[in-house]
Amino acid sequence: MITQKIKGVLKMITTEDFNESTFAWPKGFYSDATHIGLKNQKLDFGWIYSKVPAKTAGVYTTNKFCAAPTAKTKEIVSKNHELQAIIANSAIANSCTGLQGENDVLTEQALVAKRLDISPELVGVASTGLIGAFLPMDKIEKGISELTLATNTDITKAILTTDTKAKIISVDFDIQGIPCKISGFAKGSGMIHPKMATMLAFVTTDIAIADNTLQPLLSELTDITFNQITVDGDTSTNDMVLTLANGLAGNAPIKENSPDYQLFKAALHFVLQKLAQKIAADGEGATKLVESNVLNAQSSSDAQKIAKAIVGSNLVKAAIFGADPNWGRIISTIGATSADFNPKTIDIKINEFPVVQQSLAVDFDEAQISNSLKKDIITLTVNLNDGDFAGQAWGCDLTYDYVKINATYSS
Amino acid sequence: MITQKIKGVLKMITTEDFNESTFAWPKGFYSDATHIGLKNQKLDFGWIYSKVPAKTAGVYTTNKFCAAPTAKTKEIVSKNHELQAIIANSAIANSCTGLQGENDVLTEQALVAKRLDISPELVGVASTGLIGAFLPMDKIEKGISELTLATNTDITKAILTTDTKAKIISVDFDIQGIPCKISGFAKGSGMIHPKMATMLAFVTTDIAIADNTLQPLLSELTDITFNQITVDGDTSTNDMVLTLANGLAGNAPIKENSPDYQLFKAALHFVLQKLAQKIAADGEGATKLVESNVLNAQSSSDAQKIAKAIVGSNLVKAAIFGADPNWGRIISTIGATSADFNPKTIDIKINEFPVVQQSLAVDFDEAQISNSLKKDIITLTVNLNDGDFAGQAWGCDLTYDYVKINATYSS
């Protein structure tokens, strides 16, 4: 929720200022996907195209083995701040593939550029799947020749790996009385699952935005959304979040700290957070979404660090799978972080039930809390009573199926 | 292996300089244990006593919620550098128990001191088990009255929680022609498993050692042994390693950098490493011990960081459970650390089989490696080819039983 002072009146921007709608592409965006034989029968290759070059911001993996497509896309977006197309495949990550991998990316860019009659530097490339395998360039080339300028949503399925469902969201809102749309989609089922090469998220919007405005906004919002989810704690070589704004809604370009900017920020935050939650909820083997809320910390980074540690603890995750109100694991996890806090003033709630007050156990009805832990969404609230800052993170439970999926993947 | 220059001759100290023997207490150490009703029917309470005060060094949890017994023991060992007795229980951690927990520790110390006719400040206290529960002091008092100055090894069982076996080792060696012994035991089935309150290790020896020598040595060796194992990545509130040297072997006190010191260091290193490996091999649900060796790193700390990250990765652990030679997960884990290295020069072996050379896949026989991953001990070797430093770490596989144990613990 964002508070914005407009002409002396405090206006609270809430989700009521924009509407979650059925997924559709913003003005001027086209998309199509196909099956080129990387996956068994399923859609595995697709693109997004914007009628005009779109202002583009990106956030990329920090893994030292950055995959070839991720590195190339980062390079061109950092230099030009715009893209007009994105080509994406699943099943093969084109990571740890050396010079051949880099050349395959250049070839892929050139083929898409030729087909769409645009510069190769306007083509972003994204891959997700097995590390160490090369792209079958004959199939890629054939695929590019088959894709059309449709407006279907097949690409939201084509990028999936072990995901059990597509993660999509559209929101509508007015800026300067002009209807605008943000539509995002993501894959990831394992915040991090390196072999499957993890998370991708693409957000498209038709708003017009001023120069040098989208990148800092995306970076800020990624830190409190995608960077606050975890499924298994690893970081892949192919992680990428791209946001494209093509300006075709026709509004005057929005500038930082204007009321329009605050509304757009709230809507984009909503889109990124929903996609992040959808990834966490569909974590490998997951049966539950776990949200941790840390309140009254000494700093935002302390609050976020603790929130993420809680949803990242195998012991907490296994306890939640087992509907076990085991607060000792939560408090131990808090204590093992590098965050600063007073260890004597902590209150903990599991869902709505207090289990710890002032760092000591309170009497609670174990059966009642265990029952509430059988819900699909679990909330863990930690009040540090030691400051004014809050943070959130999202994860999932640790289940037999997580072990099964990851023990039997390649055999 | 330690190389020591003696009178101009290089002498290599190897494990042949000391003998692993059947577990027995060093001269002047006594021990007994009993069942006081904390666990169901099993041994759960015991002590160690030395005829004379023993020089003592300790390493303790870094968790901000340090349990009352751990904090008290740390306080007295840091002040006096000696203990004459240790009292230990399993099943209840006496952690997050506030003032009452602290008072219970003082009472326990006083009761043991009275029974043994020594100062309470010579009594170390260790607890392991459920966080947030209070010690039943009537049972503790009765237990202390029942313990005797025996020389049995029951205490090595009494400290266990979800461990499937006791972890014990004795080594014999001569110093100045005088036979000496080091005997150690540990518990832990989860490097860290906060609710069960994790790892304890006690090492006793009859050697005489000079002042201010044991603590730096224990700290140095703990960093490359117990601090390099991981089962699930959490840090408990009760972790403690204590080493007691009572001097009753009768050797002249050994001083730093003497040949005797190097031999003692090698023997103590061997004891700590064996106990650490035994904890990792008996990790909750584990079917295999996993050792990672990182070679030719830019620094020791980089090598150790990478080694520990590899055995700590859920994805690597699940792949090893599934006998899946999934090197992409290993390389992703390396890339996600904060260590410095050249990402283009990495060689990886799974057991004796090369799978990556110069950061690129090599052809390998998947069935052959998968078969070798069915052994009880798995070795992962990473050669960074970027420096002169090495590091090791130990862990275990991630199995259905890990999830089962931790999902169903309290219900």
Side-chain angles (χ1 to χ4, degrees):
Chain A
M1 211 170 303
I2 291 170
T3 307
Q4 173 68 11
K5 206 166 180 184
I6 302 169
K7 292 179 190 164
V9 181
L10 276 180
K11 177 175 175 352
M12 197 76 81
I13 295 176
T14 72
T15 53
E16 287 164 28
D17 288 297
F18 44 85
N19 300 308
E20 194 172 336
S21 55
T22 306
F23 187 90
W25 296 102
K27 279 194 201 75
F29 282 98
Y30 300 85
S31 183
D32 192 19
T34 185
H35 166 70
I36 63 170
L38 307 179
K39 284 197 279 197
N40 186 15
Q41 297 197 315
K42 289 183 192 159
L43 293 168
D44 50 20
F45 189 66
W47 68 13
I48 306 169
Y49 167 74
S50 170
K51 219 157 133 177
V52 298
K55 286 207 167 65
T56 303
V59 176
Y60 314 89
T61 182
T62 56
N63 195 299
K64 291 187 183 72
F65 299 95
C66 183
T70 317
K72 189 67 192 173
T73 305
K74 182 178 181 178
E75 180 197 322
I76 59 177
V77 171
S78 303
K79 192 172 66 170
N80 306 324
H81 311 292
E82 60 178 11
L83 289 178
Q84 196 165 356
I86 296 170
I87 189 86
N89 73 278
S90 54
I92 292 176
N94 192 9
S95 174
C96 299
T97 45
L99 197 59
Q100 183 178 332
E102 291 171 30
N103 284 331
D104 288 346
V105 170
L106 294 177
T107 304
E108 197 174 356
Q109 273 188 310
L111 289 167
V112 172
K114 194 175 166 198
R115 178 90 204 286
L116 292 171
D117 197 20
I118 59 177
S119 158
E121 294 237 321
L122 287 171
V123 181
V125 183
S127 296
T128 177
L130 241 146
I131 287 176
F134 295 108
L135 289 174
M137 290 308 291
D138 52 338
K139 292 180 180 172
I140 297 285
E141 184 169 358
K142 184 159 176 286
I144 291 169
S145 73
E146 287 169 7
L147 294 173
T148 68
L149 295 189
T151 53
N152 63 53
T153 59
D154 287 353
I155 194 168
T156 70
K157 298 186 196 82
I159 60 168
L160 304 183
T161 52
T162 52
D163 305 64
T164 66
K165 58 186 92 161
K167 287 130 190 101
I168 58 173
I169 182 169
S170 287
V171 300
D172 294 310
F173 52 101
D174 285 356
I175 281 190
Q176 303 149 11
I178 297 170
C180 301
K181 187 187 278 287
I182 302 179
S183 295
F185 62 106
K187 65 85 46 176
S189 185
M191 156 63 169
I192 288 171
H193 179 178
K195 184 158 180 182
M196 300 303 291
T198 315
M199 72 150 286
L200 294 175
F202 303 105
V203 178
T204 55
T205 178
D206 48 16
I207 67 138
I209 188 163
D211 284 340
N212 305 319
T213 309
L214 193 57
Q215 183 64 50
L217 180 60
L218 179 66
S219 298
E220 176 189 342
L221 294 176
T222 298
D223 273 349
I224 55 173
T225 55
F226 291 117
N227 284 345
Q228 285 297 102
I229 59 173
T230 179
V231 170
D232 49 26
D234 279 290
T235 304
S236 104
T237 56
N238 292 51
D239 293 343
M240 176 153 61
V241 181
L242 291 175
T243 298
L244 281 69
N246 69 8
L248 292 181
N251 60 299
I254 59 177
K255 291 181 187 157
E256 201 176 338
N257 294 322
S258 67
D260 294 341
Y261 175 86
Q262 295 300 339
L263 176 58
F264 174 63
K265 178 178 180 178
L268 183 59
H269 185 181
F270 179 80
V271 165
L272 298 177
Q273 182 167 310
K274 282 283 178 188
L275 290 175
Q277 290 171 337
K278 284 169 195 268
I279 289 176
D282 194 27
E284 289 174 334
T287 68
K288 296 165 192 174
L289 173 67
V290 182
E291 175 173 289
S292 65
N293 295 299
V294 174
L295 309 174
N296 298 313
Q298 290 178 23
S299 71
S300 288
S301 75
D302 281 343
Q304 285 176 43
K305 194 181 291 173
I306 291 172
K308 193 164 177 184
I310 290 169
V311 294
S313 159
N314 275 355
L315 292 168
V316 171
K317 288 154 60 81
I320 287 173
F321 174 54
D324 179 359
N326 196 330
W327 62 265
R329 295 179 181 179
I330 300 171
I331 208 163
S332 271
T333 300
I334 299 168
T337 68
S338 61
D340 288 320
F341 60 86
N342 181 346
K344 305 209 165 183
T345 57
I346 293 176
D347 301 336
I348 301 177
K349 283 185 189 176
I350 295 176
N351 289 328
E352 68 270 35
F353 304 103
V355 292
V356 171
Q357 267 168 358
Q358 297 294 296
S359 301
L360 293 173
V362 297
D363 277 334
F364 57 79
D365 181 338
E366 204 165 317
Q368 186 183 39
I369 301 183
S370 179
N371 208 41
S372 91
L373 282 172
K374 289 170 187 156
K375 294 192 299 187
D376 291 344
I377 300 177
I378 306 301
T379 309
L380 305 175
T381 307
V382 174
N383 189 335
L384 299 170
N385 292 301
D386 194 31
D388 298 315
F389 296 88
Q392 284 185 299
W394 299 271
C396 60
D397 51 348
L398 175 62
T399 69
Y400 298 120
D401 277 353
Y402 176 84
V403 178
K404 187 172 179 181
I405 290 165
N406 286 299
T408 59
Y409 173 71
S410 84
S411 42
Chain B
M1 212 168 303
I2 291 170
T3 306
Q4 174 68 12
K5 206 168 181 183
I6 302 169
K7 292 179 192 163
V9 181
L10 275 180
K11 177 174 172 3
M12 197 76 81
I13 295 176
T14 72
T15 53
E16 287 166 26
D17 290 297
F18 45 85
N19 301 308
E20 195 173 335
S21 55
T22 307
F23 187 90
W25 297 102
K27 281 193 199 76
F29 281 99
Y30 300 85
S31 183
D32 192 20
T34 184
H35 166 71
I36 63 170
L38 306 180
K39 284 198 277 197
N40 187 17
Q41 297 198 313
K42 289 184 193 157
L43 292 168
D44 51 19
F45 189 65
W47 68 14
I48 305 169
Y49 168 74
S50 169
K51 222 159 134 175
V52 297
K55 288 208 165 65
T56 303
V59 176
Y60 315 88
T61 183
T62 55
N63 194 298
K64 292 188 182 72
F65 299 96
C66 183
T70 317
K72 189 65 193 174
T73 304
K74 181 178 182 176
E75 180 195 324
I76 60 176
V77 171
S78 303
K79 194 171 65 172
N80 306 322
H81 311 293
E82 58 177 13
L83 289 178
Q84 196 166 355
I86 296 170
I87 188 88
N89 73 277
S90 54
I92 292 177
N94 191 10
S95 174
C96 298
T97 45
L99 198 58
Q100 183 178 331
E102 292 171 30
N103 284 332
D104 288 346
V105 170
L106 294 176
T107 303
E108 196 174 356
Q109 274 188 308
L111 289 167
V112 171
K114 194 176 166 198
R115 179 89 203 290
L116 293 171
D117 198 20
I118 59 177
S119 157
E121 294 235 321
L122 288 172
V123 180
V125 183
S127 296
T128 176
L130 240 145
I131 287 175
F134 295 107
L135 289 173
M137 290 308 290
D138 52 339
K139 292 179 180 171
I140 296 285
E141 184 168 359
K142 185 159 173 289
I144 291 169
S145 73
E146 286 168 7
L147 294 172
T148 68
L149 296 189
T151 53
N152 63 52
T153 59
D154 287 354
I155 193 167
T156 69
K157 299 186 195 83
I159 60 168
L160 305 182
T161 53
T162 51
D163 305 65
T164 67
K165 57 185 92 162
K167 288 130 191 101
I168 59 175
I169 182 169
S170 287
V171 298
D172 294 311
F173 51 101
D174 285 356
I175 282 190
Q176 302 147 12
I178 297 170
C180 301
K181 188 187 274 290
I182 302 179
S183 296
F185 63 105
K187 66 85 44 175
S189 187
M191 158 61 170
I192 284 59
H193 178 177
K195 185 161 181 180
M196 299 301 292
T198 315
M199 71 148 289
L200 295 174
F202 303 106
V203 177
T204 56
T205 178
D206 46 17
I207 66 136
I209 189 164
D211 284 342
N212 305 318
T213 309
L214 193 59
Q215 182 65 52
L217 179 61
L218 179 67
S219 298
E220 178 190 340
L221 294 176
T222 299
D223 273 349
I224 56 173
T225 55
F226 291 116
N227 284 345
Q228 285 297 103
I229 58 173
T230 178
V231 171
D232 49 25
D234 278 289
T235 305
S236 105
T237 56
N238 291 49
D239 292 342
M240 175 154 60
V241 180
L242 291 175
T243 298
L244 282 68
N246 70 7
L248 292 181
N251 61 300
I254 61 179
K255 289 179 188 159
E256 202 177 336
N257 294 324
S258 66
D260 295 342
Y261 176 87
Q262 295 299 341
L263 176 58
F264 174 63
K265 179 178 178 177
L268 184 61
H269 185 180
F270 180 80
V271 165
L272 297 176
Q273 183 168 308
K274 283 283 178 188
L275 291 175
Q277 289 172 336
K278 284 168 194 266
I279 288 175
D282 193 29
E284 288 173 338
T287 68
K288 296 165 193 173
L289 172 66
V290 183
E291 176 173 288
S292 65
N293 295 300
V294 174
L295 309 174
N296 298 314
Q298 290 178 23
S299 70
S300 289
S301 76
D302 280 342
Q304 286 175 42
K305 196 182 288 172
I306 291 172
K308 194 164 175 182
I310 291 169
V311 294
S313 158
N314 275 356
L315 292 168
V316 172
K317 287 154 60 82
I320 288 174
F321 173 54
D324 179 358
N326 195 330
W327 62 265
R329 294 180 182 178
I330 298 171
I331 208 162
S332 271
T333 301
I334 298 168
T337 68
S338 61
D340 288 320
F341 60 87
N342 180 345
K344 304 209 164 179
T345 58
I346 293 177
D347 301 336
I348 301 178
K349 284 185 188 174
I350 295 176
N351 289 328
E352 67 272 34
F353 304 104
V355 292
V356 171
Q357 270 169 357
Q358 297 294 298
S359 301
L360 293 173
V362 296
D363 277 334
F364 57 81
D365 180 339
E366 202 165 319
Q368 185 183 40
I369 302 184
S370 179
N371 207 41
S372 92
L373 282 170
K374 288 170 187 154
K375 294 192 298 187
D376 291 345
I377 301 178
I378 305 302
T379 310
L380 305 174
T381 307
V382 174
N383 189 336
L384 299 171
N385 293 302
D386 194 31
D388 298 315
F389 295 88
Q392 286 186 298
W394 299 271
C396 59
D397 51 346
L398 176 62
T399 69
Y400 298 120
D401 277 354
Y402 176 86
V403 177
K404 186 172 182 183
I405 290 165
N406 287 299
T408 59
Y409 174 71
S410 85
S411 41

